[in-house]
């Protein structure tokens, strides 16, 4: 046992991918493959309300008529949707009041991941809703939040306890007809997070969720729904890590955010799914639909993302600025190394008058990787006097990586202003030598320079996570120069 | 401390240093002067370990070790400091973060514990006073948007923080007005100790009005052709480099 532990620790510390270990917990899983039976299986397992079966089946039937999209600047082997397990849950019943009751092995895993679930971290004001293989394991600080009327729970729990809220908001921002992966998620999603902030309430702490794919051959299809009522505020962070696997794993999530009048939602992600090995074998396919709506006047939503993982990323956190005077922001750092591919960006759809949006995207490509920014800024006829500012920077390491920018601009009124700036730069030999002459070795120098380059975005992250994200950037680029 | 014997260095097939000899001991200040293109900056780069130069022949030992086998960041950790002729800008990286990383990397190498944030800030304040540098420089990104003079002063500030054994200052005086020149010179003089050494590479005699060297060497066409005391610098100032050229050609 001690030996095994040592082995695991060695593996964790020596492997290229830091989080590549596997927790041996018996799982309760659905048979491989996807059919209406699979969907009924999930629905029954989760004891969901009836409207969910209807919703899931409609989504599934729609999905069957759809084709996988091919327009993104990424290449990957076709996915066999019948070769995936759509539901897997730890067998030991995960309903705990305190951490002492949680399976110690599981806690060990969380500790290795550095998830801030321990007391001290909690004291610093982080409530954590950890998701491991589709079922929420531990929800902390729930009681404190409940005092303010805030609901922060797993999606399954929300379906049991607040079905009317879920029914009212689910798929109102991302309908299941939206795209191929959204339809798939709507049919088979197994868990996720639900956040509800009542009218006038400022959430007193950062809400944080960690997702993690654990069992072999399972897709993780989680779903997040955040509703901020009039005049409320919440900052939400989602972090991800997946253990190392030799076969590709599909991750198709949906995030929906609804901000009502005068409400503000900050959503930050640090995404660190397994990127595959240096030859491009394995890794997670991260095909995610994230969208928010600033529904009424003065609402504000910001997306901040740090993307370092996944072998293929296809992700465009977007905003619909429906109300007048609404504000949308998108801050992104996307790192690709080795054979990783990322096609990511945002859509800002301006519908309301005087709506404003800001896009700052920092791409970093190393190794043989490809990094694309794809963004749409749309000013509708009624979005008079609206403004957008976009800045897309690319940083190249080495000469085998690629950076691409695909901005789409569509303006249908005369009073709106859209600005777009783009730069491409390289880390120079001179910068590296300057650092080395000051005692900083090449790897550290790259970490330092890249973090400097991405600082504008990293500064938008909640303090706690900014440090973590900085470390991740350096780890992701290890070995990126010869 | 530093011994260079018969050093031959080329870049892209062109020989620049042609049998250079130099010995620097603890407590000494050496000035290396010479006309443009004589190989002064090449010498500085080779000591620091820049990799686009090829050492064709010769030996360089530092503290008894073969310097040419040591990677550049290790040379720095073992006490070699290069003051750059053109300091490099690193956008987004604050001076404090940069120097804290540098100092702690060096300390790690020397088996010392990393400095805490508080100790580091104390050190920064102390060194700022020592080299009379403005506070605002340390709050900015490394060299970004610095004027020429600020960049050079910043090099001296880094030197003060890193406390090197051997400092090579490559044309640190070029492009400086008289006030900045005094700051640089004052820094070098203040940091001078019995157990460290400085090599000043300079084109003009002007810097030597403020820093008194123990030795002056004239580098011409890849070789040190003349060495002497501080009076050699004055002679050079008076007679110009043509005097050396003629003398060399006459031999």
């Amino acid at each position: 046992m001690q030996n095994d532990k040592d082995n695991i620790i060695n593996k964790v510390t020596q492997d290229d991918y830091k989080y590549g270990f596997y927790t041996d917990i018996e799982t309760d899983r659905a048979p491989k493959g996807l059919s209406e039976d699979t969907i009924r299986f999930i629905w029954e397992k989760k004891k969901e309300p009836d409207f969910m079966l209807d919703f899931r089946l409609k989504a599934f039937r729609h999905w069957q008529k759809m084709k996988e999209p091919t327009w993104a600047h990424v290449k990957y082997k076709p996915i066999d949707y019948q070769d995936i397990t759509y539901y897997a849950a730890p067998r030991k019943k995960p309903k705990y009041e305190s951490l002492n009751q949680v399976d110690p092995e599981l806690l060990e895993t969380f500790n290795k991941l550095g998830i801030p679930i321990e007391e001290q971290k909690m004291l610093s004001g982080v409530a954590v809703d950890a998701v491991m293989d589709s079922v929420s394991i531990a929800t902390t600080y729930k009681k404190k939040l409940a005092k303010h009327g805030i609901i922060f729970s797993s999606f399954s729990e929300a379906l049991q306890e607040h079905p009317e809220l879920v029914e009212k908001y689910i798929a109102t921002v991302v309908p299941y007809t939206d795209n191929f992966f959204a339809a798939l998620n709507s049919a088979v999603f197994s868990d996720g997070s639900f956040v509800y902030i009542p009218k006038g309430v400022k959430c007193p702490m950062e809400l944080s969720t960690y997702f993690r794919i654990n069992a072999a051959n399972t897709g993780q299809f989680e779903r997040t729904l955040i509703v901020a009522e009039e005049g409320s505020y919440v900052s939400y962070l989602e972090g991800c890590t997946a253990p190392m696997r030799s076969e590709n794993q599909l991750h198709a999530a949906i995030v929906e955010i609804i901000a009502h009048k005068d409400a503000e939602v900050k959503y930050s992600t640090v995404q660190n799914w397994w990127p595959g090995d240096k030859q491009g074998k394995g890794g997670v396919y991260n095909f995610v639909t994230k969208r928010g709506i600033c529904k009424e006047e003065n609402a504000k939503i910001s997306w901040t993302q740090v993307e370092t993982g996944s072998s293929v990323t296809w992700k465009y956190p977007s905003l619909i600025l429906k109300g007048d005077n609404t504000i949308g922001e998108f801050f992104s750092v996307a790192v690709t190394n080795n054979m990783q591919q990322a096609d990511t960006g945002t859509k800002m759809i301006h519908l309301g008058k005087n709506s404003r949006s800001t896009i700052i995207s920092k791409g970093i490509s190393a190794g043989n990787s490809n990094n694309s920014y794809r963004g749409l800024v749309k000013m509708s006829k009624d979005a008079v006097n609206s403004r957008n500012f976009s800045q897309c920077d690319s940083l190249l390491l080495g000469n085998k990586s690629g950076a691409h920018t695909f901005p789409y601009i569509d303006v249908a009124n005369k009073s709106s202003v859209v600005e777009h700036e783009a730069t491409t730069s390289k880390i120079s030999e001179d910068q590296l030598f300057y650092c080395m002459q000051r005692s900083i070795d090449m790897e550290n120098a790259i970490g330092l320079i890249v973090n400097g380059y991405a600082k504008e975005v990293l500064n938008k992250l909640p303090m706690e996570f900014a440090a973590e994200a900085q470390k991740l950037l350096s780890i992701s680029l290890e070995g990126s120069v010869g | 401390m530093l011994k260079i014997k018969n050093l031959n260095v080329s870049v892209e097939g062109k020989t620049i240093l042609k049998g250079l000899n130099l010995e620097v001991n603890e407590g000494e200040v050496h000035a290396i002067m010479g006309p443009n293109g004589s190989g002064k900056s090449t010498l500085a780069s080779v000591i620091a370990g820049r990799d686009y130069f090829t050492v064709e022949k010769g030996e360089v030992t530092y503290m008894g070790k073969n310097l040419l086998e040591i990677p550049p960041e290790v040379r720095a950790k073992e006490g070699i400091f290069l003051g750059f002729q053109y300091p490099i800008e690193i956008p987004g990286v604050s001076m404090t973060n940069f120097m804290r990383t540098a100092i702690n990397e060096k300390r790690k190498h020397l088996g010392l514990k990393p400095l805490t944030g508080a100790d580091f800030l104390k050190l920064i304040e102390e060194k700022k006073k020592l080299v009379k540098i403005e506070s605002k420089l340390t709050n900015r990104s490394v060299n970004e948007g610095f004027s020429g003079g600020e960049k050079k002063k910043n090099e001296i500030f880094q030197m003060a923080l890193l406390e090197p054994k051997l400092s090579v200052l490559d044309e640190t005086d070029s492009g400086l007005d008289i006030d900045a020149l005094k700051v640089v010179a004052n820094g070098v003089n203040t940091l001078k100790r019995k157990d460290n050494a400085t090599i000043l590479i300079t084109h003009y005699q002007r810097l030597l009005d403020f820093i008194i060297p123990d030795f002056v060497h004239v580098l011409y066409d890849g070789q040190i052709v003349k060495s002497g005391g501080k009076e050699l610098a004055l002679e050079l100032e008076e007679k110009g480099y043509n005097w050396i050229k003629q003398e060399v050609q006459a031999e």
Side-chain angles (χ1 to χ4, degrees):
Chain A
M1 192 60 203
Q2 189 54 43
N3 251 346
D4 281 351
K5 252 194 190 152
D6 287 348
N7 283 340
I8 290 172
I9 290 164
N10 283 343
K11 233 181 139 35
V12 173
T13 48
Q14 287 162 14
D15 278 359
D16 287 354
Y17 179 67
K18 209 177 136 202
Y19 303 116
F21 53 84
Y22 171 69
T23 306
D24 189 14
I25 289 174
E26 292 176 79
T27 56
D28 191 4
R29 54 167 68 230
K32 264 188 190 177
L34 183 53
S35 66
E36 294 203 358
D37 287 344
T38 322
I39 284 155
R40 285 201 176 84
F41 175 91
I42 297 171
W43 175 75
E44 266 167 34
K45 272 276 167 202
K46 303 185 67 62
K47 303 190 178 67
E48 290 175 347
D50 290 348
F51 78 86
M52 282 304 296
L53 181 62
D54 186 44
F55 173 74
R56 287 177 182 278
L57 287 173
K58 270 189 198 155
F60 176 65
R61 286 168 196 151
H62 187 79
W63 177 75
Q64 284 180 303
K65 286 181 253 160
M66 297 174 95
K67 278 202 175 112
E68 214 174 308
T70 53
W71 46 262
H73 192 72
V74 293
K75 280 184 193 144
Y76 56 92
K77 269 199 302 206
I79 298 167
D80 180 356
Y81 293 93
Q82 295 306 330
D83 195 37
I84 293 173
T85 305
Y86 287 88
Y87 182 80
R91 190 167 287 157
K92 294 174 191 170
K93 267 294 164 200
K95 275 256 170 183
Y96 304 111
E97 285 301 312
S98 91
L99 288 178
N100 300 339
Q101 300 165 317
V102 177
D103 188 335
E105 205 171 334
L106 205 57
L107 287 180
E108 180 82 353
T109 308
F110 286 143
N111 286 336
K112 275 183 212 154
L113 281 169
I115 290 180
I117 202 165
E118 320 92 306
E119 285 301 317
Q120 71 245 19
K121 295 271 180 139
M122 283 194 253
L123 287 172
S124 62
V126 183
V128 177
D129 179 20
V131 172
M132 183 187 259
D133 281 350
S134 327
V135 172
S136 179
I137 308 280
T139 304
T140 53
Y141 263 92
K142 220 168 151 179
K143 284 180 189 156
K144 190 177 173 193
L145 294 172
K147 248 196 286 178
H148 296 271
I150 295 168
I151 304 167
F152 176 40
S153 71
S154 71
F155 212 98
S156 322
E157 231 176 300
L159 273 170
Q160 302 301 327
E161 290 169 18
H162 310 282
E164 72 299 338
L165 275 178
V166 178
E167 192 173 6
K168 183 175 172 190
Y169 287 106
I170 192 171
T172 57
V173 193
V174 183
Y176 63 78
T177 49
D178 191 78
N179 69 70
F180 183 82
F181 297 109
L184 180 64
N185 175 290
S186 301
V188 302
F189 80 92
S190 41
D191 214 331
S193 291
F194 179 77
V195 176
Y196 178 83
I197 315 289
K199 190 171 167 181
V201 171
K202 313 276 178 215
C203 184
M205 65 187 74
E206 312 273 352
L207 301 182
S208 157
T209 305
Y210 275 77
F211 291 109
R212 186 154 193 278
I213 301 176
N214 197 49
N217 259 328
T218 55
Q220 176 132 347
F221 302 93
E222 86 273 346
R223 192 158 183 129
T224 300
L225 179 56
I226 300 173
V227 180
E229 291 284 10
E230 186 178 330
S232 66
Y233 167 84
V234 64
S235 165
Y236 179 90
L237 185 122
E238 182 189 288
C240 311
T241 13
M244 192 177 279
R245 291 268 165 245
S246 60
E247 68 278 9
N248 291 301
Q249 288 173 300
L250 177 62
H251 176 253
I254 288 181
V255 177
E256 295 179 280
I257 303 177
I258 296 113
H260 286 289
K261 189 181 168 196
D262 298 321
E264 180 177 354
V265 179
K266 272 187 177 174
Y267 181 103
S268 319
T269 331
V270 176
Q271 186 267 113
N272 182 31
W273 300 113
W274 184 43
D277 66 14
K278 286 185 176 132
Q279 280 70 46
K281 202 165 162 279
V284 170
Y285 293 170
N286 192 26
F287 301 148
V288 179
T289 309
K290 295 188 173 191
R291 195 174 302 151
I293 183 164
C294 291
K295 222 169 165 182
E296 290 115 30
E297 62 265 38
N298 304 322
K300 178 179 176 184
I301 299 177
S302 322
W303 297 106
T304 304
Q305 59 169 21
V306 175
E307 302 278 316
T308 66
S310 299
S311 63
V312 184
T313 301
W314 179 96
K315 180 180 175 186
Y316 316 91
S318 302
L319 288 173
I320 300 165
L321 302 172
K322 188 165 173 241
D324 294 344
N325 308 313
T326 48
I327 298 175
E329 294 173 331
F330 174 77
F331 305 109
S332 168
V333 176
V335 182
T336 53
N337 194 3
N338 299 320
M339 304 296 282
Q340 275 178 279
Q341 306 171 68
D343 194 302
T344 183
T346 185
K347 284 191 270 185
M348 292 289 176
I349 315 289
H350 291 251
L351 302 175
K353 288 188 211 80
N354 303 318
S355 50
R356 278 162 291 154
S357 64
T358 306
I359 299 171
I360 295 181
S361 161
K362 303 264 183 181
I364 299 157
S365 351
N368 290 297
S369 69
N370 258 305
N371 204 326
S372 306
Y373 168 83
R374 187 184 301 275
L376 168 69
V377 177
K378 188 182 167 75
M379 299 286 181
S380 70
K381 211 171 116 233
D382 297 329
V384 290
N385 293 319
S386 293
R387 292 189 75 108
N388 162 269
F389 173 74
S390 303
Q391 182 188 329
C392 302
D393 298 330
S394 310
L395 184 70
L396 296 167
L397 277 78
N399 45 24
K400 287 183 192 142
S401 56
H404 316 269
T405 305
F406 305 99
Y408 304 88
I409 295 171
D410 177 359
V411 182
N413 71 65
K414 281 183 181 163
S415 57
S416 290
V417 180
V418 177
E419 290 173 76
H420 181 93
E421 287 177 9
T423 66
T424 303
S425 52
K426 275 183 104 163
I427 292 187
S428 72
E429 290 287 320
D430 285 341
Q431 284 174 327
L432 290 175
F433 182 69
Y434 193 71
C435 292
M436 289 194 280
Q437 213 303 304
R438 299 298 185 254
S439 302
I440 303 166
D441 66 29
M442 175 118 51
E443 304 254 305
N444 278 329
I446 289 172
L448 205 63
I449 295 167
V450 165
N451 275 303
Y453 162 80
K455 195 156 83 178
E456 228 177 319
V457 173
L458 296 178
N459 281 347
K460 304 286 177 189
L461 285 174
M463 267 285 271
E464 292 245 354
F465 304 106
E468 201 171 311
Q470 278 183 10
K471 266 184 233 151
L472 260 183
L473 284 190
S474 306
I475 291 171
S476 308
L477 290 167
E478 260 172 29
S480 56
V481 281
Chain B
M1 181 184 280
L2 181 76
K3 284 187 187 137
I4 302 177
K5 271 189 214 156
N6 190 30
L7 184 63
N8 287 258
V9 172
S10 67
V11 60
E12 287 165 2
K14 191 180 169 222
T15 309
I16 297 176
L17 297 183
K18 303 167 181 169
L20 184 135
N21 295 296
L22 181 68
E23 189 169 336
V24 178
N25 296 308
E26 291 176 353
E28 294 176 352
V29 175
H30 290 245
I32 295 182
M33 306 183 71
N36 289 333
S38 58
K40 300 190 298 290
S41 286
T42 301
L43 175 63
S45 296
V46 169
I47 293 172
R50 187 87 211 224
D51 62 4
Y52 60 63
F53 296 97
T54 313
V55 175
E56 307 280 356
K57 242 190 338 193
E59 278 173 37
V60 183
T61 55
Y62 169 70
M63 310 294 289
K65 289 180 196 162
N66 180 359
L67 186 67
L68 301 175
E69 283 177 353
I70 303 174
E73 68 274 18
V74 179
R75 297 185 195 194
K77 289 172 192 177
E78 302 219 329
I80 292 183
F81 177 88
L82 173 64
F84 283 68
Q85 184 176 4
Y86 304 108
I88 307 298
E89 298 187 5
I90 309 179
V93 178
S94 72
M95 262 317 288
T96 38
N97 187 19
F98 180 65
M99 281 323 286
R100 191 172 171 194
T101 309
I103 286 177
N104 284 337
E105 285 294 314
K106 187 171 174 178
R107 290 177 68 90
K108 194 159 81 186
H109 181 77
L110 300 175
L112 300 168
K113 277 195 193 141
L115 282 186
T116 63
D119 285 345
F120 177 69
L121 288 178
K122 239 193 271 170
L123 185 70
I124 286 249
E125 288 311 314
E126 181 193 316
K127 299 297 183 187
K128 261 189 207 166
K129 265 186 220 146
L130 192 72
V131 298
K132 300 193 175 79
I133 195 165
E134 298 88 343
S135 268
K136 58 173 195 196
L137 289 188
T138 54
N139 299 329
R140 288 162 46 184
S141 295
V142 179
N143 293 322
E144 197 187 26
F146 285 29
S147 71
E150 285 172 335
K151 282 183 181 172
K152 297 297 177 75
K153 284 192 229 171
N154 193 31
E155 294 291 290
I156 299 300
F157 175 59
Q158 294 178 49
M159 175 177 147
L161 280 169
L162 288 164
E163 299 182 336
K165 284 199 187 93
L166 176 66
S167 305
V168 182
L169 303 180
D170 188 8
E171 308 243 3
T172 301
D173 54 333
S174 66
L176 292 188
D177 60 35
I178 196 77
D179 293 329
L181 191 69
K182 278 182 185 164
V183 171
V184 167
N186 168 64
V188 174
N189 290 332
T190 319
L191 295 170
K192 186 179 169 178
R193 289 200 316 244
K194 277 186 185 143
D195 60 348
N196 64 18
T198 306
I199 299 175
L200 297 171
I201 289 177
T202 179
H203 187 76
Y204 301 104
Q205 196 271 340
R206 201 173 57 142
L207 180 65
L208 306 180
D209 289 341
F210 303 99
I211 305 172
I212 310 299
D214 300 297
F215 300 94
V216 174
H217 310 277
V218 181
L219 185 60
Y220 177 71
D221 195 23
Q223 283 182 325
I224 287 180
V225 292
K226 205 169 178 69
S227 296
K230 56 177 194 272
E231 63 288 345
L232 179 58
L234 293 170
E235 207 173 344
L236 270 177
E237 181 78 354
E238 199 182 306
K239 298 185 183 166
Y241 286 115
N242 280 335
W243 162 62
I244 294 289
K245 286 181 196 171
Q246 283 157 11
E247 213 166 82
V248 171
Q249 277 150 12
E251 274 169 22

